[in-house]
C-alpha cells in the first residue's frame, strides 16, 4: 500500500480486497484531485463496495463535494473520525453529525483476515431491520399508490408522440456508453431509498443496449416466463405463465433471498401489459398482484405467510420498461419501484448505502442476464420458446 500524491498535494491510500475497496484520503480535496481519484476508482471497481475515509481531509471544494455526494448516493460509505471530517461529511450527505460513521467497517481487509466475518457483518447490517415481523399499514399503501400514479404519469409523457422516448437520450454521452456495452443504472431521484410512513420506496432506472437484436428477439425472451428460472438464475427459483394473451401476460415467480441468515423466498403473481406504439417502439407496465413471503424456505418448516406480513423485504413491486429498436440493436430501459419496510433511523446511515449498492447490483445483473439470453436466442443456441410476437393495435409514435 503506497500513497499516491496528486498535482495539488492531495494524497490517497488505496486498500483493495476481493469484496471491497477502501480509499483513505488526506489533504485538500479539489475538483481536480477528485477527478484523479475518480480515474483511480474506475480502474479498480466492479461490483465491489467502496469506502472513503475522510478523517485526514482538511477541506473539500464544491466540485469535489458534488462528486463525493454522487458516490455516496450510489452506495459508497463515507467515514469520518475527526470533528472536522464529520462536519465535512455532514455537509456532503445532509445528515446530522450524530449519524456520520466514525469508524470504517474495514470490509476491505476482513476477507484477508477472517473470510467469513466480513460477509456476516454485511448481511447482518442489511438484515438487522427486517429481522422482526412487520405489517403493511394503510398509510404506507396510500403513499405508495400516489407515488406509482406519478411515475405512470411520467411514463405517459415519454410515450406521447413527439416526446423523447428514452430518458437515456437526455443524458450527455449515455447512448454512446450503452452502445459500447456499458449497463447504465442509477437511482431515479436524489433520495433513494425514499422514506415514507412505515416504509421505504426504492426507485431505480437501468438501461442496456443489445446489438444485433430486433424487438421480436427481445420480447420473445422477456415474455418467456417458463424460462425465467434459467435466465435469471440463481435469484429466480421457479416461474410459470398463468394466462398469456396478445397484450397482457399473467405469471408467477418465486424469488429467493440468498442470505445464509434469513431463509426467505418471495412467491408472487405479476401482470404485465404490453403496448405497441409502432414497429420500433414498445413499452410494458408490470405490477405485482400478489406477494407472499415463504418463511424457512427449503426447510421442513417451510410455510407461506399472509400477504403484507413477514419481514417486509418486498411488499409491492411496479415497473415500466421501454423498448426501442435502432442503431443496429435494441435499447431496453426499465424503471423498477419497490416498497419495503423501513429501518430504524439510528441505522439508516449504515443500511441505506448498502441497500443502494445491492439495488444497483441487482438491476445490473438482471439487465446483463436479459442481454445474454437475447444473444443466445438470436444465435440459435437457445430457442425453447418460439411463439411469434403478438400483434396489437398500432398507435403512431412519431
Amino acid at each position: 500500500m503506497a500513497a499516491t500524491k496528486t498535482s495539488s498535494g492531495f494524497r490517497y491510500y488505496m486498500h483493495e480486497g476481493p469484496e471491497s475497496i477502501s480509499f483513505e484520503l488526506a489533504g485538500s480535496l479539489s475538483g481536480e484531485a477528485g477527478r484523479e481519484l475518480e480515474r483511480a476508482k474506475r480502474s479498480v471497481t466492479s461490483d465491489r463496495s467502496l469506502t472513503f475515509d475522510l478523517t485526514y481531509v482538511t477541506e473539500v471544494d464544491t466540485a469535489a463535494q458534488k462528486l463525493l455526494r454522487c458516490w455516496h448516493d450510489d452506495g459508497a460509505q463515507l467515514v469520518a473520525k475527526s470533528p472536522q471530517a464529520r462536519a465535512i461529511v455532514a455537509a456532503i450527505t445532509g445528515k446530522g453529525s450524530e449519524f456520520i460513521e466514525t469508524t470504517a467497517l474495514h470490509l476491505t481487509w476482513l476477507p484477508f483476515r477472517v473470510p467469513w466475518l466480513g460477509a456476516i457483518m454485511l448481511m447482518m447490517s442489511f438484515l438487522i431491520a427486517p429481522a422482526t415481523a412487520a405489517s403493511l399499514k394503510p398509510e404506507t399503501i396510500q403513499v405508495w399508490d400516489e407515488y406509482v400514479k406519478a411515475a405512470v404519469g411520467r411514463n405517459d409523457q415519454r410515450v406521447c408522440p413527439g416526446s423523447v422516448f428514452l430518458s437515456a437520450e437526455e443524458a450527455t454521452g449515455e447512448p454512446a456508453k450503452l452502445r459500447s456495452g456499458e449497463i447504465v443504472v442509477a437511482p431515479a431521484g436524489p433520495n433513494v431509498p425514499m422514506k415514507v410512513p412505515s416504509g421505504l420506496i426504492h426507485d431505480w432506472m437501468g438501461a442496456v443496449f443489445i446489438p444485433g437484436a430486433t424487438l421480436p428477439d427481445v420480447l420473445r425472451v422477456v415474455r418467456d416466463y417458463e424460462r425465467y428460472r434459467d435466465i435469471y438464475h440463481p435469484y429466480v427459483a421457479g416461474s410459470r405463465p398463468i394466462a398469456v394473451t396478445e397484450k397482457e401476460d399473467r405469471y408467477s415467480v418465486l424469488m429467493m433471498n440468498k442470505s445464509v441468515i434469513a431463509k426467505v423466498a418471495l412467491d408472487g403473481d405479476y401482470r404485465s401489459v404490453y403496448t405497441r406504439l409502432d414497429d420500433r417502439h414498445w413499452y410494458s407496465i408490470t405490477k405485482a398482484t400478489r406477494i407472499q413471503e415463504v418463511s424457512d424456505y427449503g426447510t421442513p418448516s417451510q410455510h407461506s405467510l399472509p400477504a403484507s406480513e413477514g419481514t417486509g423485504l418486498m411488499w409491492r413491486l411496479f415497473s415500466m420498461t421501454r423498448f426501442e429498436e435502432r442503431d443496429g440493436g435494441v435499447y431496453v430501459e426499465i424503471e423498477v419501484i419497490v416498497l419495503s419496510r423501513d429501518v430504524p433511523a439510528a441505522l439508516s446511515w449504515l443500511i441505506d448505502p448498502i441497500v443502494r449498492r445491492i439495488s444497483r447490483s441487482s438491476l445490473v445483473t438482471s439487465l446483463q442476464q436479459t442481454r445474454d439470453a437475447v444473444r443466445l436466442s438470436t444465435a440459435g443456441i437457445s430457442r425453447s420458446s418460439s411463439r411469434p410476437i403478438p400483434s396489437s393495435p398500432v398507435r403512431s409514435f412519431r
Side-chain angles (χ1 to χ4, degrees):
M1 176 190 69
T4 298
K5 182 177 180 180
T6 71
S7 57
S8 62
F10 170 78
R11 289 179 172 82
Y12 67 87
Y13 300 80
M14 184 174 69
H15 310 265
E16 188 174 358
E19 299 295 332
S20 59
I21 297 170
S22 177
F23 289 87
E24 185 177 350
L25 315 180
S28 177
L29 179 54
S30 65
E32 180 182 356
R35 287 188 291 272
E36 189 166 338
L37 189 60
E38 169 71 13
R39 287 191 292 270
K41 180 177 76 71
R42 287 183 177 180
S43 70
V44 294
T45 55
S46 52
D47 290 333
R48 290 178 286 183
S49 61
L50 283 171
T51 298
F52 293 93
D53 190 338
L54 280 70
T55 300
Y56 302 105
V57 171
T58 55
E59 59 180 340
V60 180
D61 70 11
T62 303
Q65 280 190 8
K66 183 177 180 181
L67 189 61
L68 285 166
R69 177 58 193 246
C70 288
W71 294 342
H72 176 71
D73 287 344
D74 286 344
Q77 176 190 8
L78 302 184
V79 173
K81 304 173 189 175
S82 67
Q84 182 178 14
R86 287 163 65 84
I88 290 174
V89 173
I92 292 171
T93 63
K95 298 176 181 177
S97 60
E98 66 271 20
F99 297 123
I100 303 302
E101 187 167 6
T102 57
T103 57
L105 291 179
H106 297 302
L107 295 177
T108 298
W109 303 282
L110 280 172
F112 292 112
R113 297 178 180 176
V114 189
W116 52 267
L117 184 56
I120 288 181
M121 286 181 65
L122 178 62
M123 287 184 290
M124 282 298 291
S125 63
F126 179 61
L127 293 169
I128 192 168
T132 57
S135 298
L136 182 57
K137 295 179 169 54
E139 57 268 27
T140 312
I141 297 175
Q142 181 179 353
V143 176
W144 164 260
D145 290 341
E146 293 171 354
Y147 189 94
V148 168
K149 182 178 179 181
V152 171
R154 293 194 299 272
N155 183 71
D156 289 344
Q157 297 260 336
R158 289 212 172 271
V159 301
C160 284
S163 299
V164 179
F165 188 66
L166 300 175
S167 63
E169 292 291 334
E170 298 173 335
T172 303
E174 200 156 288
K177 290 181 181 179
L178 294 171
R179 289 192 296 272
S180 71
E182 185 174 340
I183 295 175
V184 177
V185 172
N191 299 310
V192 175
M194 187 180 83
K195 301 185 188 307
V196 299
S198 301
L200 295 172
I201 292 179
H202 314 261
D203 190 350
W204 284 79
M205 300 282 297
V208 66
F209 178 68
I210 309 176
T214 65
L215 265 172
D217 294 331
V218 175
L219 294 175
R220 186 177 296 115
V221 167
V222 299
R223 300 181 77 172
D224 190 357
Y225 307 109
E226 290 181 349
R227 292 193 58 239
Y228 270 26
R229 180 175 182 174
D230 299 325
I231 296 172
Y232 301 108
H233 178 80
Y235 302 104
V236 172
S239 60
R240 65 179 179 86
I242 297 173
V244 176
T245 65
E246 290 184 351
K247 295 181 60 178
E248 179 180 318
D249 299 345
R250 292 193 299 115
Y251 52 97
S252 67
V253 177
L254 178 66
M255 292 186 293
M256 292 181 61
N257 171 26
K258 303 300 290 184
S259 167
V260 299
I261 297 175
K263 298 183 182 299
V264 176
L266 297 173
D267 184 22
D269 293 335
Y270 299 85
R271 174 178 176 264
S272 294
V273 176
Y274 286 82
T275 301
R276 178 189 177 199
L277 301 174
D278 57 36
D279 287 343
R280 294 182 178 271
H281 299 86
W282 283 63
Y283 74 91
S284 68
I285 294 180
T286 297
K287 177 182 180 181
T289 58
R290 176 188 65 87
I291 296 178
Q292 285 183 273
E293 287 191 14
V294 182
S295 184
D296 298 325
Y297 179 76
T299 71
S301 58
Q302 171 181 320
H303 62 284
S304 297
L305 302 177
S308 302
E309 293 187 13
T311 60
L313 289 172
M314 186 170 75
W315 277 324
R316 295 286 189 273
L317 182 144
F318 188 89
S319 69
M320 299 167 290
T321 309
R322 293 182 287 274
F323 309 88
E324 181 174 12
E325 181 181 339
R326 64 179 172 88
D327 299 332
V330 176
Y331 294 89
V332 180
E333 183 174 81
I334 184 170
E335 180 174 2
V336 181
I337 310 173
V338 170
L339 176 67
S340 72
R341 67 169 295 170
D342 58 353
V343 299
L347 292 173
S348 63
W349 61 269
L350 172 63
I351 295 176
D352 286 357
I354 296 173
V355 170
R356 284 195 294 270
R357 184 170 66 83
I358 292 174
S359 298
R360 173 185 292 276
S361 176
S362 298
L363 190 48
V364 168
T365 299
S366 177
L367 290 169
Q368 177 68 62
Q369 290 172 322
T370 300
R371 181 170 63 187
D372 291 345
V374 173
R375 284 174 168 172
L376 287 172
S377 178
T378 57
I381 298 175
S382 175
R383 293 186 179 276
S384 64
S385 174
S386 58
R387 67 180 177 89
I389 297 301
S391 60
S392 60
V394 177
R395 182 157 55 90
S396 176
F397 178 67
R398 288 177 180 163

